[in-house]
């Protein structure tokens, strides 16, 4: 294709640098400086996609972030990006893009059948259709996904790198147009640290698309001089291709910098960078977005924003049509008419809703021979895939309808302008309010919660001269408030002031029939929301703009209604009979202003860096032994150690049998360990734990239970008295940080008078747990300074000595019910001792065991796991642990036992379950019922908390929480599962060695 | 994201802190002297004002100290931070 719409000269593109690209597989050419959109227009492409709901043909309608139609799939494979606005894609050599929302292609779309059924797809269609019956969603979902087809996400990992920056500055200027550049200059000259961020590849903003003059010369001269001055200021950072997408509390801003416009980038640099900026002052010079006029069939390809048409001419040297009608309610669009006429576009005329427009610009247009049809509106558009003509009629007295004969204007371009909306999105993100300017029909930033100001067009100043003045004043002001007060005597630049007459605001323009009965008046082009949809919502009782948005989906697409929201609100206000559109509420803008790739949020925190991995000192031994891993928080713990060809069940059974019949070794280093010291340590434990600690002898251990103030179990573990004022607390692996936080919180906030100090020592120690009848024999080979006999070293005591010549603390504590020795050595000796034990352990049948066997073994003894048998609603009495509740002192949570709910008789209690079929292993979480009958609902009386096959018992076992469970011991209960009902007998929760003979042996 | 002035470390990003709920709720000296309703009030009931609010924070990824903050919940303006046991600053009472 040739660039049939490219002008011979003019614009900021570089005609000496041609670029090749493809669109929907077709080869095309453009120039350096083009966007994909400008290159497509240059190549005569009018149809770029289909609309979301009706699949109507759509063309490019804007030139920037407000584009609602021209969404493309950029590139393919690993780097593909969905839903990219063609207006924001810089053209590069080899670019490849395809249309979305259409299948098989934009010229022939099978889903366009939706538009024949448009009467069946009114506002709230999705809610009404899919609310009921719920089961129907399964059927509809497939249809919706196919029909919506909003681009394709990549199936493979993104090969590019992203990174992040955290910076502070004195003044952040958002937007590098006339006002923003002026502000950055003024602030930069004071010596303040300034960041100027602009979303485009070039500074200049709207100036790039205008034929404006500053100081009597083309504005580009001032832009170039300003940019070069900023480059010379050491504390000024200018970031192009950088969108400030979000503005948050305390002057915090998120910015997305695109570091390489070209894809793929060859790995030379990061693709995008996310900036976290904390600024002392923020100057929002984000400009303004033009809004369309809302008339019948205003979505046809060739209907574009007037400012965008002008930008394509002036900046990119392309004309968006060869035969144009300008349709406006204001003077600004006359600039477009004049520019089109100058570019040789035929038949240029202006349809103006106002009576006898008389401003400076209309006068110029008339003098240039452009026909002006006043007090009129477009009542219809012909041409589905491309505008062919418009029908124009005169407005009646109150603009509620049209009168007189219809005139037809052949054209392939309709440039419309309904006025400009200040971009107050960022101001709104950070809690700023807005007030409605009725005369101009736009929202102006009002009170802000931040140290910020909206300036220039973002503050409703549309005269270039005002933008310059505002910019210099705001930049100076922001720098001064940040502490930089250097005066500048430079003369400020000026621009000619153009006298512009007021606009005539008519939100929905009438046609020959009531709205909705002739063509469609589109408000939201991306989501296909029409004036009739909003009017219907109002009739159905919607009053708030926030509810109406969600019901009609107005402004809910990726463009967030940048062009349609304000006309939509005004239409709602009219439908509700509210005079001032500001009274139906402003919709709150939310970040991001434009979409941000997830890769930028992830930055370098991907793959192995996504989450830290905690490894015990013996990690590599486990790895070499071929263990399977279990993730416990960030810890990697050996789950089980399969030998050649063993199944998980085989391995776990073997490990469990070894632990009860020979000796087995567990890496328990991950258990939380908190060193507690101070003269009030025992008193502190008395308050934190449910049982008493003052009388615990030095060298003795005690199991403790911690509750929250509501009486619910929070954590458990064994704590040992190492000295008069010195304790070592152990916690569950997953709760270690939370327990330390809990101790610190009470010490600092409630009991500051207690002299107690807590320190995490989890990683200082390697913990090796020897378990089983041969444990003592094996350990005896490694120590000669500790008497390991049951009398000298009873259960729940601790000795310090040496193990394998390594200084060690040995605890006789057990989580398996077997005679156990928990050997703690300094972490760096852990692997050495572990290896030595295995070198000597074969004759005793030493077997490594993992967390799965540990879980089975403890369940055989009915030992709870916090977080498995408890879930934040379980009190100690439910677990049969009344024995651990001191009656002689207060402790956290005690008072809550007297709450009516804690004293309830039918609370769920911990019991054992033995299935009728000994090989049947119940599913953890399965619900339990008392009766086996086939007519639901059947009341549920509890659930299974732990369930395993026990090799030591030769059958399955389970623990469960069952309502009044202890009274049901001996009863049969039922566990309904898909296709079967399993029966089980309720038992006490201890399955092995209820007398504790093994434990103490 | 808030910029929080830790009374011990100075201004730090909110991500370094954990929120600890409403401040100035004392654990009753004698829990048994309280009715069930009073005890429930101590455990569960918190004010949720629009405007001035006194709340606890802990500099979890910093000095690990608990402190109090007076914050306007409607604007997120921080009126001041103060140490445990201290009275709120002027203008935040
Ligand atoms: Zn701190």
């Amino acid at each position: 294709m040739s660039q049939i719409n490219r002008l011979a000269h003019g614009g900021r593109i570089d005609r000496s640098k041609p670029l090749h690209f493809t669109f929907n597989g077709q080869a095309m050419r453009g120039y350096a400086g083009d966007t994909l959109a400008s290159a497509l227009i240059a190549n005569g492409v009018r149809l770029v996609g289909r609309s979301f709901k009706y699949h109507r043909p759509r063309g490019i309608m804007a030139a920037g972030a407000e584009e609602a139609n021209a969404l493309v799939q950029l590139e393919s494979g690993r780097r593909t990006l969905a839903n990219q606005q063609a207006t924001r894609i810089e053209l590069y050599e080899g670019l490849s893009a395809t249309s979305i929302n259409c299948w098989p292609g934009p010229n022939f779309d099978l889903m366009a059948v939706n538009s024949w059924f448009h009467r069946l797809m009114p506002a709230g269609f999705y809610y009404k259709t899919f609310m009921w019956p719920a089961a129907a969603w399964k059927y509809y979902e497939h249809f919706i996904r196919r029909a919506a087809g909003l681009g394709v996400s990549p199936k493979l990992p993104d090969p590019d790198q992203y990174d992040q920056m955290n910076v502070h500055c004195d003044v952040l200027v958002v937007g590098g147009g006339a006002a923003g550049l002026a502000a950055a200059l003024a602030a930069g000259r004071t010596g303040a640290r300034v960041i100027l961020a602009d979303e485009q590849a070039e500074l200049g903003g709207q100036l790039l698309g205008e034929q404006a003059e500053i100081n009597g010369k083309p504005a580009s001269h001032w832009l170039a001089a300003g940019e070069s001055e900023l480059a010379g200021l050491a504390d000024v950072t200018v970031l192009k291709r950088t969108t400030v997408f979000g503005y948050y509390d305390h002057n915090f801003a998120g910015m997305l910098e695109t570091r390489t416009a070209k894809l793929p980038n060859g790995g030379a640099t990061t693709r995008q960078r996310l900036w976290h900026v904390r600024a002392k002052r923020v100057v929002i010079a984000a400009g303004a977005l033009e809004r369309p006029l809302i008339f019948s069939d205003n979505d046809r390809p060739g209907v574009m924003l007037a400012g965008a048409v002008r930008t394509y001419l002036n900046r990119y040297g392309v004309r968006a049509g060869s035969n144009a009608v300008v349709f406006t309610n204001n003077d600004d669009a006359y600039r477009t008419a004049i520019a089109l006429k100058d570019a040789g576009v035929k038949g240029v005329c202006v349809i103006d809703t106002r009576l006898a427009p008389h401003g400076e610009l209309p006068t110029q247009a008339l003098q240039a021979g452009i026909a002006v049809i006043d007090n009129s509106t477009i009542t219809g558009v012909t041409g589905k895939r491309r505008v062919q003509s418009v029908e124009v009629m005169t407005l009646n007295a109150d603009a509620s309808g049209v009168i007189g004969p219809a005139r037809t204007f052949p054209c392939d371009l309709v440039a419309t302008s309904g006025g400009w909306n200040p971009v107050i999105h960022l101001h709104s993100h950070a809690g700023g309010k807005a007030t409605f300017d009725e005369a101009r029909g736009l929202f102006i930033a009002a009170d802000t919660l931040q140290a910020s100001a909206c300036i220039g067009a973002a503050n409703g100043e549309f005269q270039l001269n005002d933008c310059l003045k505002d910019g210099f004043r705001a930049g100076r002001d922001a720098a001064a408030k940040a502490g930089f007060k250097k005066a500048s005597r430079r003369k400020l630049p000026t621009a000619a002031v153009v006298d512009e007459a007021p606009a005539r605001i008519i939100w929905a323009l009438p046609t020959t029939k009531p709205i909705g009965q002739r063509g469609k008046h589109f408000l939201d082009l991306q989501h296909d929301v029409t004036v009739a949809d909003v009017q219907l919502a109002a009739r159905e009782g919607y009053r708030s703009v926030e509810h109406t948005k969600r019901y009609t989906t107005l402004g809910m697409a990726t463009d967030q209604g940048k062009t349609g929201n304000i006309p939509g609100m005004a239409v709602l206000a009219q439908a509700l009979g509210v005079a001032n559109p500001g009274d139906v509420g402003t919709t709150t803008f939310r970040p991001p202003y434009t979409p941000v790739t997830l890769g930028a949020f992830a930055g370098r925190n991907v793959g192995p860096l996504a989450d830290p991995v905690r490894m015990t000192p013996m990690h590599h031994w486990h790895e070499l032994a071929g263990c399977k891993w279990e993730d416990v928080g960030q810890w990697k713990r050996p789950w089980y150690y399969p030998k050649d060809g063993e199944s998980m069940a085989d391995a776990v059974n073997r490990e469990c049998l070894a632990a009860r019949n020979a000796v087995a070794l567990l890496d328990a280093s991950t258990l939380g360990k908190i060193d507690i010291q101070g003269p009030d340590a025992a008193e502190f434990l008395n308050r934190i734990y449910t049982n008493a600690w003052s009388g615990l002898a030095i060298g003795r251990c005690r199991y403790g239970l911690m509750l929250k103030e509501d009486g619910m179990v929070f954590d458990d573990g064994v704590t040992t008295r190492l000295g008069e004022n010195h304790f070592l607390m152990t916690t569950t692996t997953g709760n270690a940080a939370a327990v330390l936080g809990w101790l610190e919180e009470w010490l600092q906030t409630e009991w500051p008078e207690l002299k107690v100090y807590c320190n995490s020592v989890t990683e200082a120690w390697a913990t090796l747990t020897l378990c089983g009848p041969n444990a003592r024999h094996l350990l005896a080979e490694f120590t000669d300074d500790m008497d390991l006999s049951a009398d000298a070293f009873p259960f729940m005591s601790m000795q310090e000595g040496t193990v394998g010549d390594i200084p060690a603390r040995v605890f006789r504590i057990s989580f398996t019910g077997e005679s156990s020795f928990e050997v703690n050595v300094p972490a760096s000796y852990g692997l050495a001792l572990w290896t030595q034990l295995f070198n000597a352990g074969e004759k005793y049948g030493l077997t490594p065991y993992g967390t799965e066997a540990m879980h089975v073994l403890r369940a055989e003894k009915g030992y709870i796991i916090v977080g498995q048998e408890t879930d934040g609603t379980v009190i100690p009495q439910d677990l049969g642990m009344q024995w651990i509740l001191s009656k002689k002192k207060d402790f956290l949570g005690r008072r809550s036992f007297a709450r009516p709910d804690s004293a309830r008789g039918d609370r769920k209690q911990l019991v054992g379950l033995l299935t009728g079929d000994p090989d049947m292993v119940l599913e953890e979480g399965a619900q339990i019922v008392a009766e086996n009958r086939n007519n639901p609902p059947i009341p549920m009386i509890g659930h299974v908390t732990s369930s395993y096959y026990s090799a030591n018992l030769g059958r399955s076992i389970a623990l469960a929480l069952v309502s009044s469970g202890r009274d049901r011991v001996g009863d049969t209960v039922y566990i309904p599962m898909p296709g079967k009902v399993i029966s089980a007998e309720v038992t006490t929760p201890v399955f092995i060695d209820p007398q504790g003979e093994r434990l103490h042996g | 994201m808030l910029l929080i002035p830790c009374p011990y470390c100075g201004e730090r990003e909110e991500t370094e802190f954990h929120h600890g709920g409403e401040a100035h709720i004392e654990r009753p000296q004698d829990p048994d002297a309280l009715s069930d309703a009073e005890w429930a009030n101590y455990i569960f009931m918190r004010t949720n004002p629009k405007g001035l609010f006194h709340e606890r924070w802990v500099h979890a990824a910093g000095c690990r100290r608990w402190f109090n903050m007076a914050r306007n919940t409607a604007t997120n303006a921080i009126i001041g931070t103060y140490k445990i046991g201290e009275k709120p600053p002027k203008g935040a009472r």
Side-chain angles (χ1 to χ4, degrees), chain B residues 33-66:
Chain B
L34 269 61
S35 68
D36 282 351
E38 287 166 336
W39 181 251
N41 196 49
Y42 155 65
I43 307 178
F44 300 117
M45 305 309 283
R46 298 293 181 265
T47 59
N48 183 22
K50 181 178 182 181
L52 179 64
F53 187 53
H54 300 94
E55 60 198 4
R56 306 185 312 158
W57 288 79
V58 58
H59 195 182
C63 62
R64 291 194 73 79
R65 303 289 288 271
W66 284 84

Short mmCIF file of all heavy atoms in Angstrom, two decimals, chain B residues 33-66:
data_model
loop_
_atom_site.label_atom_id
_atom_site.label_comp_id
_atom_site.label_asym_id
_atom_site.label_seq_id
_atom_site.Cartn_x
_atom_site.Cartn_y
_atom_site.Cartn_z
N ALA B 33 -13.90 -8.49 86.56
CA ALA B 33 -14.83 -7.49 87.06
C ALA B 33 -15.74 -6.95 85.95
O ALA B 33 -16.68 -6.23 86.21
CB ALA B 33 -14.06 -6.34 87.71
N LEU B 34 -15.44 -7.34 84.71
CA LEU B 34 -16.21 -6.81 83.58
C LEU B 34 -17.39 -7.73 83.25
O LEU B 34 -17.27 -8.96 83.35
CB LEU B 34 -15.31 -6.70 82.35
CG LEU B 34 -14.58 -5.38 82.12
CD1 LEU B 34 -13.65 -5.07 83.27
CD2 LEU B 34 -13.81 -5.44 80.82
N SER B 35 -18.48 -7.13 82.83
CA SER B 35 -19.59 -7.92 82.30
C SER B 35 -19.16 -8.47 80.94
O SER B 35 -18.19 -8.00 80.34
CB SER B 35 -20.83 -7.05 82.14
OG SER B 35 -20.60 -6.10 81.11
N ASP B 36 -19.92 -9.46 80.46
CA ASP B 36 -19.61 -10.01 79.13
C ASP B 36 -19.63 -8.90 78.08
O ASP B 36 -18.80 -8.86 77.18
CB ASP B 36 -20.62 -11.09 78.75
CG ASP B 36 -20.32 -12.42 79.45
OD1 ASP B 36 -19.24 -12.53 80.08
OD2 ASP B 36 -21.16 -13.33 79.38
N ALA B 37 -20.61 -8.00 78.20
CA ALA B 37 -20.73 -6.93 77.21
C ALA B 37 -19.52 -6.00 77.27
O ALA B 37 -18.99 -5.60 76.23
CB ALA B 37 -22.02 -6.14 77.45
N GLU B 38 -19.06 -5.72 78.49
CA GLU B 38 -17.89 -4.83 78.62
C GLU B 38 -16.62 -5.51 78.08
O GLU B 38 -15.79 -4.88 77.43
CB GLU B 38 -17.68 -4.44 80.09
CG GLU B 38 -18.71 -3.44 80.58
CD GLU B 38 -18.73 -3.31 82.10
OE1 GLU B 38 -18.33 -4.27 82.80
OE2 GLU B 38 -19.17 -2.25 82.58
N TRP B 39 -16.51 -6.80 78.35
CA TRP B 39 -15.34 -7.54 77.84
C TRP B 39 -15.38 -7.60 76.31
O TRP B 39 -14.38 -7.38 75.63
CB TRP B 39 -15.31 -8.94 78.43
CG TRP B 39 -14.15 -9.77 77.98
CD1 TRP B 39 -14.19 -10.84 77.14
CD2 TRP B 39 -12.77 -9.60 78.32
NE1 TRP B 39 -12.94 -11.35 76.94
CE2 TRP B 39 -12.02 -10.61 77.66
CE3 TRP B 39 -12.07 -8.68 79.13
CZ2 TRP B 39 -10.65 -10.72 77.77
CZ3 TRP B 39 -10.70 -8.81 79.24
CH2 TRP B 39 -9.99 -9.82 78.56
N ALA B 40 -16.56 -7.86 75.76
CA ALA B 40 -16.72 -7.90 74.30
C ALA B 40 -16.39 -6.54 73.70
O ALA B 40 -15.76 -6.44 72.64
CB ALA B 40 -18.13 -8.32 73.92
N ASN B 41 -16.78 -5.50 74.42
CA ASN B 41 -16.49 -4.15 73.95
C ASN B 41 -14.97 -3.92 73.87
O ASN B 41 -14.47 -3.36 72.92
CB ASN B 41 -17.13 -3.15 74.91
CG ASN B 41 -17.20 -1.77 74.31
OD1 ASN B 41 -17.66 -1.63 73.17
ND2 ASN B 41 -16.72 -0.78 75.03
N TYR B 42 -14.26 -4.43 74.89
CA TYR B 42 -12.79 -4.29 74.90
C TYR B 42 -12.16 -5.09 73.75
O TYR B 42 -11.27 -4.60 73.06
CB TYR B 42 -12.25 -4.77 76.25
CG TYR B 42 -10.81 -5.24 76.20
CD1 TYR B 42 -9.77 -4.35 75.91
CD2 TYR B 42 -10.50 -6.59 76.43
CE1 TYR B 42 -8.45 -4.79 75.86
CE2 TYR B 42 -9.18 -7.03 76.38
CZ TYR B 42 -8.16 -6.14 76.09
OH TYR B 42 -6.87 -6.57 76.02
N ILE B 43 -12.66 -6.29 73.50
CA ILE B 43 -12.01 -7.12 72.47
C ILE B 43 -12.39 -6.70 71.06
O ILE B 43 -11.53 -6.62 70.19
CB ILE B 43 -12.40 -8.61 72.61
CG1 ILE B 43 -12.16 -9.13 74.02
CG2 ILE B 43 -11.58 -9.45 71.63
CD1 ILE B 43 -12.58 -10.59 74.14
N PHE B 44 -13.68 -6.48 70.87
CA PHE B 44 -14.16 -6.41 69.48
C PHE B 44 -14.52 -5.01 68.99
O PHE B 44 -14.41 -4.75 67.79
CB PHE B 44 -15.41 -7.29 69.31
CG PHE B 44 -15.18 -8.74 69.62
CD1 PHE B 44 -15.85 -9.35 70.66
CD2 PHE B 44 -14.29 -9.49 68.86
CE1 PHE B 44 -15.64 -10.69 70.95
CE2 PHE B 44 -14.07 -10.84 69.15
CZ PHE B 44 -14.74 -11.44 70.20
N MET B 45 -15.01 -4.15 69.86
CA MET B 45 -15.64 -2.93 69.36
C MET B 45 -14.60 -1.82 69.20
O MET B 45 -13.87 -1.51 70.13
CB MET B 45 -16.77 -2.48 70.30
CG MET B 45 -17.82 -3.56 70.54
SD MET B 45 -18.45 -4.26 69.00
CE MET B 45 -19.56 -2.95 68.49
N ARG B 46 -14.58 -1.23 68.01
CA ARG B 46 -13.66 -0.15 67.71
C ARG B 46 -14.43 0.99 67.07
O ARG B 46 -15.39 0.75 66.34
CB ARG B 46 -12.55 -0.63 66.76
CG ARG B 46 -11.68 -1.76 67.32
CD ARG B 46 -10.82 -1.28 68.50
NE ARG B 46 -9.98 -2.33 69.03
CZ ARG B 46 -10.29 -3.11 70.07
NH1 ARG B 46 -11.47 -2.98 70.68
NH2 ARG B 46 -9.45 -4.03 70.51
N THR B 47 -13.98 2.21 67.31
CA THR B 47 -14.62 3.34 66.64
C THR B 47 -14.10 3.38 65.20
O THR B 47 -13.03 2.86 64.89
CB THR B 47 -14.30 4.67 67.34
OG1 THR B 47 -12.89 4.83 67.35
CG2 THR B 47 -14.81 4.67 68.77
N ASN B 48 -14.87 3.98 64.35
CA ASN B 48 -14.49 4.05 62.94
C ASN B 48 -14.82 5.44 62.44
O ASN B 48 -15.70 5.62 61.60
CB ASN B 48 -15.25 2.97 62.16
CG ASN B 48 -14.84 2.93 60.70
OD1 ASN B 48 -13.75 3.39 60.35
ND2 ASN B 48 -15.71 2.42 59.85
N PRO B 49 -14.16 6.47 63.01
CA PRO B 49 -14.59 7.83 62.71
C PRO B 49 -14.14 8.30 61.33
O PRO B 49 -13.13 7.83 60.81
CB PRO B 49 -13.88 8.64 63.80
CG PRO B 49 -12.63 7.87 64.07
CD PRO B 49 -12.99 6.42 63.87
N LYS B 50 -14.90 9.21 60.78
CA LYS B 50 -14.44 9.95 59.61
C LYS B 50 -13.80 11.21 60.16
O LYS B 50 -14.47 12.02 60.77
CB LYS B 50 -15.62 10.28 58.71
CG LYS B 50 -15.20 11.05 57.46
CD LYS B 50 -16.39 11.33 56.56
CE LYS B 50 -15.92 12.04 55.30
NZ LYS B 50 -17.04 12.37 54.41
N GLY B 51 -12.50 11.32 60.01
CA GLY B 51 -11.80 12.46 60.57
C GLY B 51 -10.70 12.01 61.52
O GLY B 51 -10.04 11.00 61.26
N LEU B 52 -10.55 12.73 62.63
CA LEU B 52 -9.42 12.46 63.54
C LEU B 52 -9.52 11.06 64.15
O LEU B 52 -10.55 10.66 64.68
CB LEU B 52 -9.43 13.51 64.66
CG LEU B 52 -8.32 13.34 65.71
CD1 LEU B 52 -6.94 13.51 65.09
CD2 LEU B 52 -8.53 14.33 66.85
N PHE B 53 -8.42 10.32 64.06
CA PHE B 53 -8.38 8.95 64.59
C PHE B 53 -7.01 8.71 65.19
O PHE B 53 -5.99 9.10 64.60
CB PHE B 53 -8.64 7.97 63.43
CG PHE B 53 -8.81 6.54 63.87
CD1 PHE B 53 -9.71 6.18 64.86
CD2 PHE B 53 -8.07 5.53 63.26
CE1 PHE B 53 -9.88 4.85 65.25
CE2 PHE B 53 -8.22 4.20 63.64
CZ PHE B 53 -9.13 3.87 64.64
N HIS B 54 -6.99 8.10 66.36
CA HIS B 54 -5.72 7.73 67.00
C HIS B 54 -5.52 6.24 66.81
O HIS B 54 -6.39 5.45 67.18
CB HIS B 54 -5.75 8.10 68.48
CG HIS B 54 -5.96 9.56 68.72
ND1 HIS B 54 -7.20 10.10 68.94
CD2 HIS B 54 -5.09 10.60 68.72
CE1 HIS B 54 -7.08 11.41 69.09
NE2 HIS B 54 -5.81 11.74 68.95
N GLU B 55 -4.40 5.89 66.24
CA GLU B 55 -4.19 4.48 65.90
C GLU B 55 -2.76 4.08 66.22
O GLU B 55 -1.88 4.92 66.36
CB GLU B 55 -4.48 4.25 64.41
CG GLU B 55 -3.59 5.08 63.50
CD GLU B 55 -4.13 5.19 62.08
OE1 GLU B 55 -5.23 4.70 61.81
OE2 GLU B 55 -3.42 5.79 61.25
N ARG B 56 -2.56 2.77 66.32
CA ARG B 56 -1.24 2.24 66.65
C ARG B 56 -0.56 1.76 65.37
O ARG B 56 -1.21 1.23 64.47
CB ARG B 56 -1.35 1.06 67.62
CG ARG B 56 -2.15 1.38 68.87
CD ARG B 56 -2.11 0.21 69.84
NE ARG B 56 -2.41 -1.05 69.16
CZ ARG B 56 -2.06 -2.25 69.61
NH1 ARG B 56 -1.39 -2.36 70.73
NH2 ARG B 56 -2.38 -3.34 68.93
N TRP B 57 0.73 1.97 65.31
CA TRP B 57 1.52 1.43 64.21
C TRP B 57 2.79 0.81 64.79
O TRP B 57 3.23 1.20 65.87
CB TRP B 57 1.94 2.54 63.23
CG TRP B 57 0.81 3.08 62.38
CD1 TRP B 57 -0.15 3.97 62.78
CD2 TRP B 57 0.52 2.75 61.02
NE1 TRP B 57 -1.01 4.23 61.74
CE2 TRP B 57 -0.61 3.49 60.64
CE3 TRP B 57 1.12 1.92 60.08
CZ2 TRP B 57 -1.17 3.42 59.36
CZ3 TRP B 57 0.58 1.85 58.80
CH2 TRP B 57 -0.56 2.60 58.45
N VAL B 58 3.37 -0.11 64.05
CA VAL B 58 4.66 -0.65 64.45
C VAL B 58 5.59 -0.58 63.25
O VAL B 58 5.20 -0.88 62.12
CB VAL B 58 4.53 -2.10 64.98
CG1 VAL B 58 3.92 -3.04 63.95
CG2 VAL B 58 5.89 -2.62 65.44
N HIS B 59 6.80 -0.13 63.51
CA HIS B 59 7.79 0.00 62.43
C HIS B 59 8.43 -1.37 62.21
O HIS B 59 9.58 -1.61 62.59
CB HIS B 59 8.82 1.07 62.80
CG HIS B 59 9.63 1.53 61.64
ND1 HIS B 59 10.63 2.45 61.74
CD2 HIS B 59 9.59 1.18 60.33
CE1 HIS B 59 11.18 2.65 60.54
NE2 HIS B 59 10.56 1.88 59.68
N ALA B 60 7.65 -2.26 61.60
CA ALA B 60 7.99 -3.68 61.57
C ALA B 60 9.28 -3.96 60.81
O ALA B 60 10.07 -4.80 61.20
CB ALA B 60 6.84 -4.47 60.96
N ALA B 61 9.49 -3.27 59.70
CA ALA B 61 10.70 -3.49 58.91
C ALA B 61 11.71 -2.37 59.18
O ALA B 61 12.47 -1.97 58.31
CB ALA B 61 10.37 -3.56 57.42
N GLY B 62 11.67 -1.85 60.40
CA GLY B 62 12.60 -0.79 60.78
C GLY B 62 13.04 -1.05 62.20
O GLY B 62 13.61 -2.09 62.52
N CYS B 63 12.70 -0.12 63.11
CA CYS B 63 13.17 -0.23 64.49
C CYS B 63 12.33 -1.19 65.32
O CYS B 63 12.67 -1.46 66.47
CB CYS B 63 13.17 1.15 65.13
SG CYS B 63 11.53 1.89 65.22
N ARG B 64 11.24 -1.68 64.77
CA ARG B 64 10.31 -2.61 65.45
C ARG B 64 9.67 -1.98 66.69
O ARG B 64 9.20 -2.69 67.58
CB ARG B 64 10.98 -3.94 65.79
CG ARG B 64 11.29 -4.77 64.56
CD ARG B 64 11.63 -6.20 64.86
NE ARG B 64 10.50 -7.01 65.28
CZ ARG B 64 9.59 -7.52 64.45
NH1 ARG B 64 9.66 -7.31 63.15
NH2 ARG B 64 8.61 -8.26 64.93
N ARG B 65 9.60 -0.68 66.74
CA ARG B 65 8.95 -0.02 67.88
C ARG B 65 7.51 0.30 67.54
O ARG B 65 7.17 0.69 66.43
CB ARG B 65 9.68 1.29 68.23
CG ARG B 65 11.15 1.13 68.52
CD ARG B 65 11.42 0.44 69.84
NE ARG B 65 11.11 1.28 70.98
CZ ARG B 65 11.99 2.12 71.54
NH1 ARG B 65 13.20 2.25 71.05
NH2 ARG B 65 11.64 2.84 72.58
N TRP B 66 6.67 0.13 68.56
CA TRP B 66 5.28 0.55 68.45
C TRP B 66 5.17 2.04 68.78
O TRP B 66 5.91 2.55 69.62
CB TRP B 66 4.40 -0.23 69.41
CG TRP B 66 4.12 -1.62 68.94
CD1 TRP B 66 4.91 -2.71 69.10
CD2 TRP B 66 2.96 -2.07 68.23
NE1 TRP B 66 4.33 -3.82 68.52
CE2 TRP B 66 3.13 -3.46 67.99
CE3 TRP B 66 1.79 -1.44 67.78
CZ2 TRP B 66 2.17 -4.22 67.31
CZ3 TRP B 66 0.85 -2.21 67.11
CH2 TRP B 66 1.04 -3.57 66.87
#
